Amino acid sequence: MSKLALVTGAKGGIGSAITKQLVENGYRVIATFVPGNEDCAKEWFDAEGYTEAQVRTLAMDVTNAESCRELLGRMMQEEGTFDVLVNNAGITRDSVFKKMNSEQWSAVIDTNLNSLFNVTQPLFAAMCEKGGGRVINISSVNGIKGQFGQANYSAAKAGMIGFTKALAFEGARSGTTVNAIAPGYTATPMVEKIKPEVLDAIKAEIPMKRLATPEEIAGAVVYLASDVGGYVTGETLSLNGGLYMQ
Ligand SMILES: NC(=O)c1ccc[n+]([C@@H]2O[C@H](COP(=O)([O-])OP(=O)(O)OC[C@H]3O[C@@H](n4cnc5c(N)ncnc54)[C@H](OP(=O)(O)O)[C@@H]3O)[C@@H](O)[C@H]2O)c1
């Protein structure tokens, strides 16, 4: 039987590549998108050429704890226990801190950090009971090194790393691993929002002088999800072209 994975923000740039590589590796993927984006989700599903056996789309707002608990409970009844959870949904609301408003702060913390509670908690106990589960959190290089204009985003992404390390202790005994991936700048719609002159300056700073591809990030997810990735836990895997070496 195929292993079951949940990918949040599955039709975004990195989420699409993660979903594709998981499907190519034999997983059945429950692919979440923002409620209200049903038409786009259908278009995405058709354009990727998925079958219903491979991918099931699910409208789920990762910021809404109650609806996540209800929807994920229903998914487990219908689909079984999840083997892999990829917490990938995320947003940016960049602003210098002195001009940042509370909406920008809260939206980023809710979507990128509070979502970890909302999505992981309903699945984690069953994952551990089954044994050998995988939780993979998509953090960011800017959660490690900080970034001008991203106090909200850097705080949320650094929080994801703390969550990863703490939860890794709780999963370890059952062989359930919890890891983070910290991508550098990756060619997706999120990065297309950056002004071209700013992006050129960012690329100039990256030792490899290019952005990551979503496929490079997805490859790391597949590794951490795999059986041979089973001894890695509590780690943050950096994929940043040398932008920040720890
Ligand atoms: N691109 C980069 O350079 C980069 C670098 C480091 C880390 N990351 C991280 O990688 C992850 C994916 O980013 P990306 O570049 O692929 O961005 P993206 O293309 O903008 O995709 C983001 C995804 O998040 C989903 N999402 C946003 N708010 C949500 C909510 N409230 N509930 C459910 N889903 C929600 C979106 O869903 P819809 O499709 O339905 O709108 C979208 O699919 C993010 O966590 C991001 O912070 C990205």
Side-chain angles (χ1 to χ4, degrees):
M1 222 174 87
S2 348
K3 285 193 170 180
L4 185 65
L6 184 91
V7 179
T8 66
K11 70 178 183 56
I14 292 175
S16 284
I18 292 171
T19 302
K20 189 172 203 168
Q21 289 192 27
L22 287 174
V23 167
E24 284 167 358
N25 281 276
Y27 293 83
R28 170 163 168 76
V29 178
I30 308 303
T32 86
F33 62 93
V34 176
N37 289 348
E38 281 71 9
D39 289 349
C40 295
K42 169 91 178 66
E43 264 172 43
W44 169 83
F45 179 93
D46 291 342
E48 297 288 320
Y50 291 134
T51 65
E52 307 223 325
Q54 291 170 323
V55 173
R56 174 175 179 179
T57 54
L58 175 70
M60 186 176 84
D61 180 354
V62 298
T63 68
N64 185 329
E66 210 175 302
S67 85
C68 287
R69 187 164 299 282
E70 198 266 315
L71 285 166
L72 294 173
R74 200 186 320 149
M75 280 302 116
M76 284 194 289
Q77 276 176 359
E78 292 175 13
E79 302 277 349
T81 300
F82 284 87
D83 300 286
V84 177
L85 162 61
V86 187
N87 283 308
N88 166 72
I91 58 167
T92 50
R93 293 285 184 274
D94 294 357
S95 165
V96 290
F97 188 61
K98 65 182 175 191
K99 291 190 181 159
M100 188 177 285
N101 60 41
S102 65
E103 189 282 326
Q104 290 168 313
W105 175 265
S106 301
V108 168
I109 299 293
D110 281 349
T111 309
N112 298 11
L113 183 59
N114 290 337
S115 62
L116 294 190
F117 175 81
N118 301 340
V119 179
T120 311
Q121 208 200 35
L123 306 184
F124 191 67
M127 246 182 188
C128 290
E129 241 163 71
K130 187 176 174 187
R134 303 280 187 264
V135 178
I136 302 163
N137 302 315
I138 308 299
S139 177
S140 168
V141 65
N142 291 343
I144 300 172
K145 74 168 189 58
Q147 175 63 19
F148 184 92
Q150 288 199 322
N152 49 1
Y153 187 79
S154 296
K157 293 299 189 184
M160 292 178 88
I161 292 172
F163 171 85
T164 298
K165 290 179 183 174
L167 198 64
F169 280 108
E170 298 192 24
R173 189 176 283 269
S174 71
T176 295
T177 68
V178 185
N179 290 290
I181 290 175
Y185 290 86
T186 308
T188 74
M190 182 177 273
V191 159
E192 282 161 18
K193 285 184 205 145
I194 300 174
K195 288 185 196 138
E197 61 276 18
V198 175
L199 196 55
D200 284 345
I202 289 170
K203 276 192 219 162
E205 258 184 66
I206 301 170
M208 287 194 182
K209 306 292 175 208
R210 68 170 179 88
L211 303 179
T213 66
E215 291 71 27
E216 288 170 327
I217 310 305
V221 171
V222 170
Y223 165 66
L224 290 173
S226 71
D227 289 345
V228 290
Y231 204 55
V232 182
T233 198
E235 271 304 317
T236 298
L237 183 54
S238 283
L239 287 87
N240 63 33
L243 178 60
Y244 190 75
M245 303 180 198
Q246 294 181 83

